[in-house]
């Protein structure tokens, strides 16, 4: 299949890819007047990546890199489209990514791989990033947006798995049965009821009432727990749950405090020495959110003093890059002290690690990436405006779609429209997220005006 390039002016404009959806006839026609467009192209030194001459995408040549043992269902979903998929079970460090990323049009990661500014600058072909998890803090979202690369994640699919893990941790902490089980494996019989409780009638305090927090609320209430929650916005509670503020009010009333917030500057060490002191004596703390939201040295002191009866941690400020790697003081200077604590459950970031969750995440994120690559739809993009676009059909053989990303300044759209003035622009849509404006244009290449 032959293709003709389109060049969009880039003087103080950030140019990214275009023609994300294209009919075969339009690709083969070569009738997009690229010499006229190229003459109108300008250069800019402020771009994250070099401005691209915009070639129609031939989907059969797309290459996708999937890291961190992403679900094989996602691999199959991409291969159905005829795309080449390279699947790896482990994460890649920055140096390896910089070396390899230039040959790929899309990448899928989980939580360990970091997509930094340096990686993005080296990703000369990259069109889209898929985070096969909830969090997106492992991606430089601002740089990706400036480079015209949308980022998609899966905000819903593992919510139930995390919520069920929290319920299991609440019961395990209240009954101390993981300690008793460890003792049995050491050949020690230690039957006791002191310090062991039913969770019925106890109060759970949920910090962050989003997808996970709200599901946890329903499960906890089914166990007969009283549910309080704290969130920065007013949210309608489910069941008999009650929103409270300030945070100190929730902490002082709760027997179990569980955290479900994103990693933001505002949430860094949001549970530190002062907040732990505000918790009830004998209460428990659970963190399955992000490792940075709890001041772990302060938590260690609170558990050692007896003020906090126990804790469950699934996330940490620094985590090993692969299974089998040590979780020691070289990674986090307090690791050995944390591991020595009684009635503290430590798990290796397994909140969303169930067969069901990984299958649903694979389906959700691969679907989002496929829709973007085939039609330009950005529904679910965390750093792009959300636009739901229909794919160009076989009955539209002379249509091509362009996605243009630029800086927010007067005159940009005028330049774009002047360049495309010889063609019939059937649809044009513009939107912005933060300071990033994007335009989508659907052209009929056979309807050139003279």
């Amino acid at each position: 299949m032959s293709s003709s390039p389109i060049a969009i002016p880039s003087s103080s404009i950030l140019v990214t890819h275009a023609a994300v959806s294209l009919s075969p006839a339009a690709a083969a026609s070569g009738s997009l007047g690229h010499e006229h467009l190229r003459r109108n192209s300008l250069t800019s030194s402020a771009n994250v990546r070099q401005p691209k001459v915009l070639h129609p995408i031939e989907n059969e040549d797309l290459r996708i890199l999937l890291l961190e043992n992403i679900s094989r269902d996602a691999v199959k979903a991409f291969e159905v489209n005829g795309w080449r998929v390279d699947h790896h079970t482990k994460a890649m460090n920055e140096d390896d990514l910089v070396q390899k990323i230039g040959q790929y049009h899309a990448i899928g990661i989980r939580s360990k791989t970091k997509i930094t500014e340096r990686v993005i600058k080296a990703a000369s072909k990259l069109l889209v990033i898929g985070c096969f998890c909830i969090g997106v803090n492992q991606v430089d979202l601002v740089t990706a947006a400036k480079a015209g690369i949308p980022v998609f994640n899966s905000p819903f699919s593992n919510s139930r798995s995390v919520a069920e893990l929290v319920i299991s941790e609440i019961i395990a902490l209240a009954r101390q049965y993981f300690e008793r089980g460890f003792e049995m494996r050491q050949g020690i019989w230690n039957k006791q009821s002191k310090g062991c409780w039913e969770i019925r009638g106890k109060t759970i305090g949920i910090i962050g009432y989003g997808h996970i927090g709200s599901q946890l609320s329903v499960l906890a209430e089914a166990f007969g727990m009283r549910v309080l929650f704290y969130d920065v916005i007013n949210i309608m509670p489910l069941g008999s749950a009650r929103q409270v503020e300030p945070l100190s009010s929730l902490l002082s009333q709760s027997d179990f405090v569980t955290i479900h917030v994103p990693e933001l500057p505002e949430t860094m060490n949001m549970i530190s020495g002062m907040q732990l002191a505000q918790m009830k004596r004998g209460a428990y703390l659970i963190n399955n959110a992000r490792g940075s939201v709890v001041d772990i040295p302060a938590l260690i002191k609170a558990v050692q003093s007896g003020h906090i009866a126990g804790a469950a941690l699934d996330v940490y400020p620094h985590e090993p890059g692969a299974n089998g790697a040590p979780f020691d003081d070289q990674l986090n200077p307090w690791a050995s002290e944390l591991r020595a604590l009684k009635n503290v459950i430590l798990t290796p970031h397994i909140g969303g690690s169930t067969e069901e969750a990984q299958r649903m995440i694979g389906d959700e994120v691969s679907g989002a990436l496929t829709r973007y690559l085939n039609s330009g739809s950005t529904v679910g993009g965390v750093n792009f405006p959300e636009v739901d676009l229909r794919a160009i059909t076989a009955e539209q053989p002379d249509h091509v779609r362009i996605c243009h990303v630029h800086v927010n300044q007067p005159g940009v759209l005028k330049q774009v429209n002047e360049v495309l003035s010889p063609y019939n622009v059937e649809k044009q849509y513009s939107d912005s997220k933060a300071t990033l404006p994007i335009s989508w244009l659907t052209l009929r290449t056979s309807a050139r005006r003279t």
Side-chain angles (χ1 to χ4, degrees):
M1 181 188 300
S2 63
S3 62
S4 301
I6 307 172
I8 298 293
S10 58
S11 176
S12 301
I13 304 173
L14 185 60
V15 177
T16 62
H17 78 282
V20 295
S21 184
L22 175 77
S23 68
S29 68
S31 62
L32 294 178
H34 65 273
E35 289 303 325
H36 167 74
L37 296 168
R38 188 188 298 277
R39 285 196 298 271
N40 284 275
S41 287
L42 304 171
T43 58
S44 171
S45 60
N47 296 330
V48 175
R49 304 184 296 183
Q50 288 298 313
K52 293 184 179 181
V53 175
L54 305 177
H55 290 275
I57 294 170
E58 299 175 8
N59 280 357
E60 61 268 24
D61 293 331
L62 288 181
R63 295 189 64 185
I64 300 175
L65 176 63
L66 298 182
L67 303 177
E68 303 184 61
N69 204 29
I70 286 169
S71 169
R72 288 285 178 177
D73 290 337
V75 176
K76 295 176 183 177
F78 292 132
E79 290 177 341
V80 164
N81 286 274
W83 304 333
R84 176 177 171 181
V85 181
D86 293 336
H87 184 272
H88 298 262
T89 59
K90 295 183 179 180
M92 282 190 185
N93 60 38
E94 186 182 55
D95 290 338
D96 289 341
L97 270 178
V98 167
Q99 183 179 5
K100 296 179 182 297
I101 194 67
Q103 59 187 310
Y104 292 101
H105 300 89
I107 184 172
I109 62 172
R110 293 179 68 186
S111 58
K112 291 184 172 62
T113 302
K114 310 299 181 185
I115 307 294
T116 63
E117 180 178 0
R118 180 176 168 229
V119 171
I120 293 170
K121 286 182 176 179
S124 57
K125 296 181 180 179
L126 195 65
L127 302 176
V128 63
I129 297 170
C131 295
F132 287 71
C133 52
I134 291 180
V136 293
N137 59 295
Q138 68 275 39
V139 178
D140 186 335
L141 296 177
V142 174
T143 300
K146 288 180 179 178
I149 303 171
V151 178
F152 297 89
N153 69 333
S154 179
F156 314 110
S157 296
N158 69 356
S159 301
R160 178 72 181 202
S161 295
V162 177
E164 289 186 3
L165 178 64
V166 174
I167 289 294
S168 73
E169 290 169 337
I170 289 173
I171 297 173
L173 289 169
R175 295 297 300 273
Q176 300 180 23
Y177 65 70
F178 67 99
E179 292 282 2
R180 303 291 85 79
F182 178 78
E183 291 167 350
M184 285 291 288
R185 290 180 178 274
Q186 305 303 308
I188 301 171
W189 183 276
N190 185 21
K191 179 181 178 179
Q192 60 175 287
S193 60
K194 182 179 181 181
C196 297
W197 314 93
E198 293 183 356
I199 67 171
R200 178 181 56 178
K202 305 300 187 297
T203 299
I204 180 174
I206 302 171
I207 302 175
Y209 203 68
H211 305 302
I212 297 172
S214 56
Q215 284 209 38
L216 175 59
S217 171
V218 174
L219 294 177
E221 195 165 307
F223 276 88
M225 301 187 77
R226 172 179 175 243
V227 179
L228 305 177
F229 70 91
Y230 170 82
D231 204 289
V232 294
I233 60 175
N234 290 326
I235 300 177
M236 179 176 290
L238 300 178
S240 300
R242 183 166 61 89
Q243 186 167 4
V244 297
E245 58 179 39
L247 176 60
S248 58
S249 176
L250 177 139
L251 297 174
S252 64
Q253 298 181 62
S254 301
D255 300 296
F256 298 87
V257 174
T258 178
I259 308 167
H260 304 282
V261 299
E263 184 175 75
L264 300 170
E266 298 83 1
T267 62
M268 295 284 286
N269 286 335
M270 71 177 300
I271 302 297
S272 192
M274 181 177 72
Q275 289 75 28
L276 291 165
Q278 292 169 347
M279 290 176 62
K280 294 170 63 173
R281 183 172 183 82
Y284 304 86
L285 179 70
I286 299 170
N287 182 24
N288 290 297
R290 284 289 180 259
S292 63
V293 303
V294 172
D295 181 349
I296 294 183
L299 174 62
I300 291 172
K301 292 180 180 178
V303 173
Q304 289 173 336
S305 71
H307 181 72
I308 299 299
L313 303 176
D314 189 48
V315 289
Y316 312 90
H318 299 98
E319 299 179 356
N323 288 344
F327 182 76
D328 56 18
D329 291 350
Q330 291 186 354
L331 191 66
N332 294 292
W334 34 256
S336 59
E337 198 172 6
L338 178 67
R339 298 199 316 264
L341 294 176
K342 294 288 187 181
N343 210 31
V344 172
I345 302 172
L346 305 177
T347 50
H349 204 152
I350 59 170
S353 296
T354 63
E355 296 286 350
E356 295 89 347
Q358 292 308 306
R359 183 174 60 251
M360 289 189 291
I361 289 171
D363 292 343
E364 183 178 358
V365 181
S366 65
L369 268 59
T370 298
R371 286 189 296 274
Y372 179 71
L373 292 171
N374 280 336
S375 67
S377 175
T378 57
V379 173
V382 298
N383 64 335
F384 260 45
E386 293 192 76
V387 177
D388 190 7
L389 302 172
R390 293 191 301 271
I392 294 177
T393 67
E395 289 72 35
Q396 299 171 302
D398 55 354
H399 285 59
V400 62
R401 180 169 292 147
I402 295 172
C403 174
H404 183 245
V405 183
H406 51 84
V407 296
N408 192 10
Q409 68 180 39
V412 172
L413 290 179
K414 178 183 177 182
Q415 293 182 62
V416 173
N417 289 328
E418 286 176 350
V419 169
L420 299 175
S421 60
Y423 308 97
N424 183 15
V425 180
E426 290 200 343
K427 293 181 181 179
Q428 181 171 350
Y429 185 88
S430 297
D431 202 349
S432 62
K433 188 159 190 173
T435 59
L436 179 75
I438 305 177
S439 297
W440 289 262
L441 305 98
T442 302
L443 315 179
R444 282 188 63 191
T445 60
S446 62
R448 180 172 180 174
R449 296 187 292 272
T450 58

